Structure formats: structure tokens, C-alpha cells
Amino acid sequence: MNHFLDIHTTSAEDLRTMIDQGRAMKDARQGRPRGAPDDEQPLAGHMVALIFEKPSTRTRVSFDVGTRQMGGQTMVLSGQDMQLGHGETIADTARVLSRYVDLIMIRTFDESVVQEMAEYASVPVINGLTDRSHPCQIMADVMTYEEHRGPIKGKKVVWTGDGNNVFASFLHAAQQFEFELVFSGPQQLDPDREYVSMAREAGVDFTIQRDPWKAVDGADLIVADTWVSMHDAQSTRERRHNLLRAYQVNDALMQAAKPDALFMHCLPAHRNEEVTSSVMDGPQSVIFDEAENRLHAQKAVMRWCLGK
């Protein structure tokens, strides 16, 4: 069973296959309307369940469109539709869904929900995001970097801001794709200690540098994410802004990196907070290529899960 639950639980060889296949499928679609089917229809006759306990734009649209392009059909379910773990157990939900669909993608809060879904489902399960990781996003990010600059192996990637779930997946990816990773943010928002320990035990070239100017010296890629989420209270927003203000990605910080350094952000962004509009819209930004590549990378993930 090919579940796609996290970057570090998937072999480096399989990850490379997915990245390369995603790029090939993107190239094959050049010049076609978005709704046109792929020449290959590997998901023909397949039904994919897309479960969202957390709201989404990019994840929902990219998985839905990707499935349709490959000839499959989708069933989109919200947390209110499912009420996961309230009444019927997650294990029983997984068993039932497996009788109806061929693949399950779930975007949820607690990592244990995805883990339990995968344990009891008899079809592949994809982690569309949890509070601890976001592996599909990082597959798109690696694909985007390599599209613009070639192999990411040995490159220096600098994350500024909060050591959140997206950063956690970058940490997993640093092990599997063998790039250097620097975290630059306040101590109060350091990344998951368990994942940091795992990375260091695995020999990942990972450092924490509090000074963002020192962190970006020699950087090939700078990555930022939102400082606050839609669920944060006003007091939390103010505290986070005070902690993170020094880590804003602006023109001066980009100039302190390599001249050909790229900028990424998984979106949605709060312009002129974690990153200035001049950087987002500037020549080093690849944020919209990055957003598009969610589609192509996830198509490759789905094909791998189904052995296609």
C-alpha cells in the first residue's frame, strides 16, 4: 500500500520518481487548455475522495483538477459532512470509504487522524496537510526550484519566520533530497524538537541562525510563510508580529543572498507582513509557478499511490 503521509516516510528514490514524473506531465500539457485531459488517463475509472476538515483553495482545486485531467472523478467532503471521530470512529470511516473509493486525500488538524485513516483504509491515503506537516507543498517546492535552477542537492535553503508544519516538511525534505537547510526565527517559534532531533541523527545539514542577515548569506532559496493563521486571536496576532517583525523578507534581505536566489511562499500571503509586495512581485519570486506546481506534483503523487 503506497500511502503518502510524509516526506521522511517515503523513500528518496520514490520521491525523485514523483518529482521527475510531475515535471514530465507538466511539459506534456504545454499549450493545452486547463480542462483538457492528459494523453495518458491513468486514473480513468477511479474515484478519489477529497476530505477537508481545514478550508483550502490550492489543495482542493489542484487535487480536483489533477484527478480530472488524469481521467478520474472526485468526491469532495467537508469536515461537517464527515464529522470525523465524532460518532463513527476514524477507523470505521476509513473502512467504509475504502469500499467506495480508490484513493483518499485528507486535509485535517491532528496528525493522528491521517495516521489512523491510513492504518485502517484498504486504499492509499494522502496527507493533504496536518498541523505537523505539509508534504504535498514541499514536493511542489522542490519541483519548482529544480525547474528554475537545476538539482536542489547541495543547495542552501533558508526559512525565515515560524518553524511551523510547512517548515517541518522542508526539514524532512532536506534529508531526502540532500540540501542544506537554515532556520531563522525567534526561539519561541522554533521547529518541532522531535523532527529536529530526527534530522540531526540522520546527518541533515541543518542549522538555526537567529540573525536573518547571517542566515541568508550564500542562500540559493529563501522561503517564508504567514505569521498568523485565520484562527489566531488578536492578542496572538500582535505577539507574533512583535516576535517576527525582524524576519520580514524584503528587498534588502534578498540582496544579501546569492544574486540568483529564488523566493518562495506557499500562499496565501499577507503582503507587507512576512514578505513585501516588491519581493513577491519581483524577478526572484517564483510563487505562482510554485502554486501551479501543486497540481503537477500531486498528480505524480496520486499516480505513485495507485501504482500508475
Side-chain angles (χ1 to χ4, degrees):
M1 185 72 64
N2 286 338
H3 298 304
F4 186 74
L5 304 182
D6 262 318
I7 299 285
H8 66 299
T9 59
T10 309
S11 74
E13 180 181 4
D14 285 341
L15 293 170
R16 171 51 55 194
T17 296
M18 287 182 254
I19 294 291
D20 292 345
Q21 188 174 61
R23 291 187 66 182
M25 286 190 290
K26 180 178 183 179
D27 291 343
R29 289 195 59 83
Q30 293 303 312
R32 295 187 178 193
R34 295 297 181 192
D38 291 351
D39 286 336
E40 290 185 84
Q41 296 282 278
L43 266 63
H46 288 73
M47 177 64 72
V48 180
L50 306 177
I51 303 172
F52 294 93
E53 285 201 294
K54 275 191 171 185
S56 166
T57 299
R58 275 151 294 278
T59 299
R60 176 169 179 165
V61 175
S62 56
F63 268 108
D64 198 344
V65 171
T67 301
R68 293 166 188 260
Q69 286 179 353
M70 294 191 293
Q73 298 184 62
T74 59
M75 175 183 295
V76 181
L77 300 165
S78 72
Q80 291 179 330
D81 295 327
M82 304 290 294
Q83 296 186 335
L84 283 171
H86 302 288
E88 185 173 61
T89 66
I90 294 165
D92 286 351
T93 299
R95 293 184 179 106
V96 169
L97 281 178
S98 298
R99 301 296 181 99
Y100 301 144
V101 303
D102 303 290
L103 179 64
I104 299 168
M105 189 290 302
I106 179 167
R107 180 179 172 97
T108 186
F109 295 90
D110 195 331
E111 181 187 44
S112 66
V113 173
V114 174
Q115 297 291 341
E116 188 172 353
M117 184 74 71
E119 181 179 355
Y120 289 97
S122 56
V123 298
V125 173
I126 296 173
N127 173 4
L129 174 141
T130 71
D131 286 344
R132 292 198 76 192
S133 66
H134 196 358
C136 289
Q137 179 64 55
I138 274 47
M139 292 295 284
D141 291 357
V142 171
M143 178 179 164
T144 304
Y145 182 86
E146 296 195 339
E147 201 172 47
H148 286 268
R149 296 289 186 265
I152 198 168
K153 182 177 180 178
K155 301 300 184 181
K156 181 178 179 179
V157 177
V158 177
W159 175 279
T160 68
D162 179 5
N164 61 14
N165 54 347
V166 183
F167 175 79
S169 288
F170 257 112
L171 193 56
H172 300 156
Q175 174 183 339
Q176 301 294 61
F177 291 100
E178 300 180 27
F179 56 82
E180 177 186 355
L181 182 61
V182 179
F183 170 79
S184 189
Q187 185 174 1
Q188 297 93 321
L189 299 175
D190 271 355
D192 188 298
R193 290 181 181 180
E194 178 187 347
Y195 288 157
V196 169
S197 296
M198 286 170 52
R200 286 179 167 154
E201 288 172 7
V204 173
D205 187 355
F206 169 67
T207 56
I208 294 176
Q209 172 54 258
R210 302 294 176 200
D211 185 336
W213 300 93
K214 291 179 180 179
V216 301
D217 182 33
D220 297 285
L221 171 62
I222 298 175
V223 189
D225 198 359
T226 54
W227 290 349
V228 296
S229 77
M230 66 182 74
H231 308 290
D232 289 336
Q234 184 61 34
S235 59
T236 301
R237 290 171 180 265
E238 292 173 0
R239 181 179 68 86
R240 280 179 163 265
H241 276 90
N242 290 334
L243 285 171
L244 290 163
R245 191 167 288 113
Y247 297 95
Q248 181 192 70
V249 180
N250 50 38
D251 291 318
L253 192 68
M254 289 300 300
Q255 289 168 12
K258 284 185 177 179
D260 65 345
L262 297 177
F263 171 75
M264 290 189 192
H265 190 302
C266 66
L267 302 180
H270 295 124
R271 285 174 176 262
N272 300 312
E273 291 187 10
E274 68 271 10
V275 57
T276 61
S277 286
S278 58
V279 170
M280 288 183 66
D281 299 327
Q284 292 169 281
S285 172
V286 292
I287 58 174
F288 297 111
D289 290 342
E290 180 186 5
E292 178 187 345
N293 285 340
R294 287 289 301 277
L295 169 66
H296 308 296
Q298 288 164 185
K299 285 168 69 174
V301 170
M302 288 190 282
R303 291 185 68 162
W304 175 79
C305 286
L306 292 169
K308 303 291 185 176

